[in-house]
Amino acid sequence: MQENLPDPELWSLIHPFTGNLTSVDRTQRGFDSDLTAVVECEQGPFFVKAMRNRQGGRRSSILRERAIASTVRPIAPALVWEVENDDWIALGYEVVSGRRADFNPGSPDLSEVTALINGLRELPAPKVAQTWTESRWDRFTDPETAQLFRGGTLLHTDIHPSNIIVGDGRSWLVDWSWPTLGAGFIDPASTVMQLISAGHTPAQAETWATQCEGWAKAAPAALDAFARATRRMWATRAEGQPGETWLTAMLAAAEEWTQYRGLG
């Protein structure tokens, strides 16, 4: 099965943790990694995420994911092993059984989403995260308004149906590619966008969000500022990649949300 991996050296690197390999089932997502796959093996199975060990944002992402793994263990699959050499960084997670969450109106999975977001808010931010200031929305607003997005809450920042696995009696929040520290309303507000895109009205989506402590404690002005910045962000991304229909859909959801909030 060595040929199913992107590089023979990677197979040699992870072999002490996996033993003999049976199969490699690559995932459809995970575009920011060189390998994301469920590896059936002698000592597994494991969900393996691997990236070439090169300087840059993608390397920083997997290093953050590795550093945060023990903190988010209550709501995420366990990191079982990790290994690194000059060419590769690889993480081996437990394989959890479930399906992607359903964000459609009326879905019972929405209570699981609420529980995961509230559970994340209760986790203490580790020391390693103290410099991970959330700043991705800064370029879409002015410096003074961007201060509304600051805070000490540990954030996932990429909550969508594929990153929530709903199992029998338990759910998990996965793909911790870019955790940050910021205002507690950011994860609920980003999920509001996803709900609108999935068919909820803005009123329905915001009603759901009131169950999230971070949203409930947020000042309306901060939510307005985030909605505006989010609309500008999706507009910029959709303009840069006009052929990506999902970006157009997210922009439409952002426009619907800002109109609902009376932001023009």
Side-chain angles (χ1 to χ4, degrees), residues 131-149:
T131 59
W132 298 353
T133 301
E134 178 52 64
S135 60
R136 275 166 291 183
W137 283 268
D138 288 12
R139 58 181 289 216
F140 304 107
T141 190
D142 60 85
E144 181 178 355
T145 301
Q147 294 304 308
L148 297 172
F149 307 155

Side-chain angles (χ1 to χ4, degrees), residues 1 4 11 14 18-26 37-48 95:
M1 283 298 157
N4 289 335
W11 167 234
I14 69 173
T18 63
N20 291 331
L21 189 65
T22 303
S23 65
V24 176
D25 184 13
R26 293 173 181 264
V38 175
V39 175
E40 297 284 350
C41 55
E42 193 174 9
Q43 299 180 38
F46 300 107
F47 176 80
V48 177
V95 174

Side-chain angles (χ1 to χ4, degrees), residues 200-211:
H200 295 254
T201 67
Q204 290 171 331
E206 289 199 359
T207 297
W208 166 86
T210 60
Q211 303 171 83

Side-chain angles (χ1 to χ4, degrees), residues 67-124:
I68 205 71
S70 61
T71 298
V72 301
R73 178 65 188 88
I75 58 173
L79 178 61
V80 183
W81 51 262
E82 59 181 271
V83 63
E84 176 180 356
N85 65 12
D86 290 341
D87 296 314
W88 285 97
I89 302 172
L91 309 179
Y93 291 92
E94 68 171 328
V95 174
V96 297
S97 179
R99 55 174 174 78
R100 61 172 279 170
D102 178 1
F103 274 29
N104 290 321
S107 169
D109 294 352
L110 297 182
S111 62
E112 299 293 328
V113 180
T114 305
L116 287 169
I117 291 177
N118 285 334
L120 173 56
R121 182 175 172 81
E122 294 173 359
L123 299 179

